[in-house]
Amino acid sequence: MRVVIAHNAVEDTDTPDARDVEVQVTTVAAALRALGHTAIPLPCTLDLADLKERLAALRPDGVFNLVESLDGTGRLIHVVPALLDALSLPYTGACAEAVYLTSHKVLAKQCLAAAGLPTPAWIGPFPEAAPTVAAAPDPTGPGTPWIVKSVWEHASIGLDEATLALCEDKQIAAARLPERAALLGGACFAERFIAGREFNLSLLVAPAGPQVLPPAEILFEGYAEDRPRIVGYRAKWDPTSFEFTHTPRRFEFPPPDAALLEGLTALALRCWRLFGLNGYARVDFRVDAGGRPWILEINANPCLSPDAGFAAALAAAGVPLGSAVERILAAAGRKSV
């Protein structure tokens, strides 16, 4: 097969999170070539007419979609999949609609809440709508901290541990939305902060339905009591930082965690089906002190870099990265099961 690897164009001046897509392109291209396919990297910009012409000239059998943003904004992550739909070109991962819904974190939370799935209460978004407190249950009552997050941007953009907007209550959080929006990709919301454990569950397409890979827990080693236990920008992208070196993931758990892990697995599968995901995905959770899980985000096309969480989950499951790429490619253009 001739497979175009569509990815967001990268500049030398881009931040580490933006440049990481180059690592993904190299990884996927090597896997495709090892499988006997022709791999053709194709950087994408806002010039969709040019992109359409280049795709017509390349005549690919399919597209491996690694586009995470356009023109530096995650708000446009769904544009290239939408173009591929218009051109009737099969592509990997979730469809354009699912990419849009899951990338807009507030819309995703609205879908989760409507389906009866647990997601923390939220305020916003700002400025798309007047800030209001969502009608989601808040079992902890008054005095619970809230966190201000970007509506569109992923990779913990805007969640710098040194300037983290962790608010004492929802009124303070609501008041901070206008001042934080410009720092968070132009749109933000506030979410009830779940103090507790953090888990990531990766999913991979399989013949009998999505396979949930071994759950991963992020550990916060050596964190002082006053340091927020959150995987922020430094923890993901600054190898020299305390946060990066003190947030390892683990895949082995004691027997008392069995019921919790089973519950997380069931919730991850429900997210897959709710949003019509395909190929691969990751669901991020927090678990409160009472052992109750809360869904934070759904990543429809998670990072495929060798050092990322998805690759680690594949390794824990004994699935070679090349085999995962083969499965993802085979599922291109299918509807979710």
Side-chain angles (χ1 to χ4, degrees), residues 138-174:
D138 184 2
T140 58
T144 300
W146 287 62
I147 185 170
V148 179
K149 302 166 69 173
S150 173
V151 169
W152 290 102
E153 303 301 334
H154 291 268
S156 293
I157 293 173
L159 292 183
D160 187 312
E161 289 86 346
T163 59
L164 189 66
L166 199 60
C167 306
E168 296 177 7
D169 56 44
K170 55 192 171 189
Q171 285 77 23
I172 295 175

Side-chain angles (χ1 to χ4, degrees), residues 102-302:
T102 55
S103 294
H104 191 303
K105 300 188 187 86
V106 174
L107 286 180
K109 289 171 71 65
Q110 290 173 347
C111 291
L112 291 168
L117 295 176
T119 188
W122 70 94
I123 302 169
F126 179 90
E128 282 94 340
T132 56
V133 179
D138 184 2
T140 58
T144 300
W146 287 62
I147 185 170
V148 179
K149 302 166 69 173
S150 173
V151 169
W152 290 102
E153 303 301 334
H154 291 268
S156 293
I157 293 173
L159 292 183
D160 187 312
E161 289 86 346
T163 59
L164 189 66
L166 199 60
C167 306
E168 296 177 7
D169 56 44
K170 55 192 171 189
Q171 285 77 23
I172 295 175
R176 295 203 66 182
L177 294 183
E179 69 184 63
R180 295 290 297 178
L183 303 174
L184 295 169
C188 62
F189 71 106
E191 181 180 72
R192 184 170 64 82
F193 180 68
I194 306 296
R197 303 168 71 181
E198 179 151 338
F199 291 83
N200 310 135
L201 270 72
S202 299
L203 301 96
L204 176 66
V205 67
Q211 174 187 355
V212 181
L213 303 178
E217 180 178 11
I218 306 300
L219 303 178
F220 299 93
E221 297 179 338
Y223 272 57
E225 287 298 321
D226 60 348
R227 183 187 290 265
R229 286 164 169 76
I230 185 169
V231 182
Y233 192 85
R234 293 182 185 180
K236 289 184 177 179
W237 303 111
D238 183 0
T240 66
S241 69
F242 170 90
E243 292 84 359
F244 186 96
T245 57
H246 288 75
T247 50
R249 64 178 65 90
R250 68 165 178 171
F251 292 96
E252 296 184 1
F253 299 91
D257 279 336
L260 171 62
L261 300 179
E262 183 178 346
L264 293 175
T265 297
L267 288 172
L269 286 170
R270 289 184 66 184
C271 289
W272 177 282
R273 297 188 173 103
L274 175 65
F275 291 99
L277 303 180
N278 183 47
Y280 61 127
R282 192 191 71 239
V283 183
D284 297 339
F285 296 89
R286 296 282 288 197
V287 176
D288 63 26
R292 182 175 181 180
W294 299 88
I295 301 166
L296 297 184
E297 297 178 16
I298 298 94
N299 191 326
N301 290 348

